[in-house]
Amino acid sequence: MPQVRFIHDGNSIDHTPLANLSAGDVVVQGDLVGIVKLDIPAGTLGALAVTGVFDFPKATTSGSAISSGAKVYWDATDKLATTDADSDANKYIGKAVRAVTDADATVCIRLEQ
């Protein structure tokens, strides 16, 4: 009798939100961070991407540049990607795919869980 049963490849996970979600929204469940793939009405089963490469918003203030390969975290309060884990208050989302400057409003990140 096998101990483990394969379910699916894990690129996406099921999610039923309490409130309406729009495609591109970031959902944090403990240490699991997912991206809404298509709009999901409240109480309806939908999917969150947990792998892939996405453009995330970031601050454009002095000191907000992010280097290629840097670990990046999601600041759920400000709804921005940052390199500051903020004592684990911000959740790890992945690594920057390419470097961005302070003036850049987005950073391209490869999700990692």
Side-chain angles (χ1 to χ4, degrees):
M1 176 64 118
Q3 295 178 332
V4 178
R5 182 175 62 97
F6 178 79
I7 303 299
H8 60 78
D9 62 17
N11 293 327
S12 299
I13 59 169
D14 291 340
H15 180 66
T16 303
L18 299 176
N20 293 340
L21 294 176
S22 298
D25 284 350
V26 178
V27 175
V28 178
Q29 299 175 347
D31 287 330
L32 180 66
V33 178
I35 311 304
V36 177
K37 295 173 80 171
L38 301 170
D39 294 350
I40 309 172
T44 303
L45 182 65
L48 303 178
V50 292
T51 63
V53 179
F54 296 85
D55 279 334
F56 282 79
K58 65 169 267 310
T60 55
T61 55
S62 178
S64 66
I66 299 175
S67 60
S68 180
K71 288 184 177 181
V72 186
Y73 303 84
W74 181 247
D75 179 337
T77 301
D78 293 333
K79 299 194 181 313
L80 294 172
T82 177
T83 56
D84 182 6
D86 192 22
S87 300
D88 292 330
N90 296 334
K91 300 302 178 185
Y92 178 68
I93 49 179
K95 293 188 178 119
V97 173
R98 59 183 160 270
V100 293
T101 67
D102 288 347
D104 291 315
T106 61
V107 57
C108 189
I109 298 171
R110 179 181 175 272
L111 293 181
E112 293 182 342
Q113 300 298 320

